[in-house]
Amino acid sequence: MIDALDRELRARGVPARRRRRIRLELEDHLACNPSADLGDPVALARQFADELGTAYARRAGFGAFLALVPLGVSFMALFAFTAVYTTSAPSALTLELVIGVQLAFVGGMLALLRAWRLRRAVVVPAAEARVLHRRAALGLGGGVLTEIGLVLLASGYYPDVQWHEPALAWLTAAVGAASLFAGGCVLVRASRLTPVAEGVARDLSFDLGVDASPRHLAFAIAGAVALCIAVAGVVQADPFDGLVRAVGDGLLCLAGFAVLGRPLGLRKSALP
């Protein structure tokens, strides 16, 4: 029985260390009650794999967010206390950093929200676990893109960017690389063991804990982002530029919802 269970666990991708732990617990249980019926090895292996895969997927969500925190804090400190001057607008480096930061923020926050909402779930559907994997991957991917921009910034690759503190940029890149590597390891482990339970992933309304249409939420969030950017433009005495950027960012939010809504579990019927 235990040998058969071990083979089923191995076939489902359960790590060796966890298999040994399960084996020891069952052997101890049988030592106390030799006549105990442990059930069907296949069903038992599936239960163990589903529960462990759920825990790993949840950790991937939390891990991606926590991995991005050191990079985000050091990145903000870098640009708060140093100066960057560009001789052309927009700089390719500027676009790379902006896109990377936005992807990291969106992916990390979405991963955190779904992981938090599923914090008490024992088993989640395979579709739900994959949503967590995708969100974590998006956040970490944005972090990697930001890392590349920081390295190019520190190395002086872009001649149109003048940077007076390359050592700080290298330090920020090193901090981010270490934290992203740790988050990536958590995601890789989670992706190797996905639950097989049936069901669909929920949408953005589940993340926010509200009873509203995901489409209405997308328009509300896009409107809020546009409003904040427009107000910032007024405060900076450049209302026209602020309005243009507000409309652009609002449309980008809606485009992202339309393109990535299902893979990221923002709309109903997420991809399996």
Side-chain angles (χ1 to χ4, degrees):
M1 164 62 189
I2 294 181
D3 290 337
L5 176 61
D6 186 74
R7 288 193 296 269
E8 291 294 332
L9 291 173
R10 185 186 300 111
R12 294 182 180 276
V14 176
R17 182 178 179 183
R18 188 54 65 100
R19 293 201 310 271
R20 287 194 297 269
R21 181 176 175 182
I22 293 172
R23 187 184 187 97
L24 289 173
E25 289 179 355
L26 291 179
E27 288 176 345
D28 182 67
H29 180 68
L30 289 176
C32 296
N33 184 10
S35 62
D37 182 12
L38 299 179
D40 178 42
V42 175
L44 192 58
R46 174 174 177 170
Q47 179 183 347
F48 278 125
D50 279 352
E51 292 179 2
L52 189 58
T54 296
Y56 281 1
R58 192 163 46 235
R59 290 176 192 173
F62 285 124
F65 176 80
L66 293 175
L68 291 166
V69 169
L71 175 61
V73 172
S74 57
F75 183 86
M76 289 188 294
L78 174 69
F79 283 86
F81 296 106
T82 57
V84 182
Y85 303 97
T86 61
T87 57
S88 64
S91 168
L93 176 62
T94 301
L95 293 176
E96 184 175 4
L97 287 175
V98 168
I99 293 173
V101 169
Q102 289 184 344
L103 290 178
F105 177 79
V106 171
M109 288 302 301
L110 288 176
L112 175 65
L113 283 173
R114 185 58 58 92
W116 176 256
R117 293 288 289 165
L118 296 174
R119 65 191 184 278
R120 294 189 178 91
V122 177
V123 173
V124 300
E128 197 79 84
R130 291 193 178 98
V131 163
L132 270 169
H133 296 167
R134 294 179 189 128
R135 291 182 176 191
L138 177 66
L140 294 175
V144 170
L145 187 61
T146 304
E147 277 285 298
I148 294 173
L150 287 172
V151 171
L152 294 176
L153 175 65
S155 63
Y157 178 82
Y158 288 98
D160 58 337
V161 178
Q162 299 177 6
W163 180 252
H164 297 302
E165 297 292 344
L168 291 178
W170 283 117
L171 178 61
T172 301
V175 170
S179 61
L180 289 175
F181 177 78
C185 290
V186 175
L187 177 58
V188 169
R189 183 173 66 172
S191 63
R192 290 177 177 174
L193 182 59
T194 302
V196 296
E198 297 180 355
V200 297
R202 281 158 285 193
D203 54 43
L204 185 60
S205 62
F206 173 71
D207 292 319
L208 300 178
V210 297
D211 184 15
S213 165
R215 183 176 300 177
H216 293 163
L217 290 173
F219 277 102
I221 293 172
V225 169
L227 179 61
C228 291
I229 295 175
V231 171
V234 173
V235 173
Q236 296 172 359
D238 194 357
F240 179 76
D241 181 67
L243 180 61
V244 172
R245 288 188 291 110
V247 173
D249 277 40
L251 291 176
L252 283 176
C253 286
L254 294 177
F257 179 80
V259 175
L260 299 175
R262 289 189 175 182
L264 295 181
L266 304 177
R267 292 189 289 167
K268 294 183 182 299
S269 301
L271 293 175

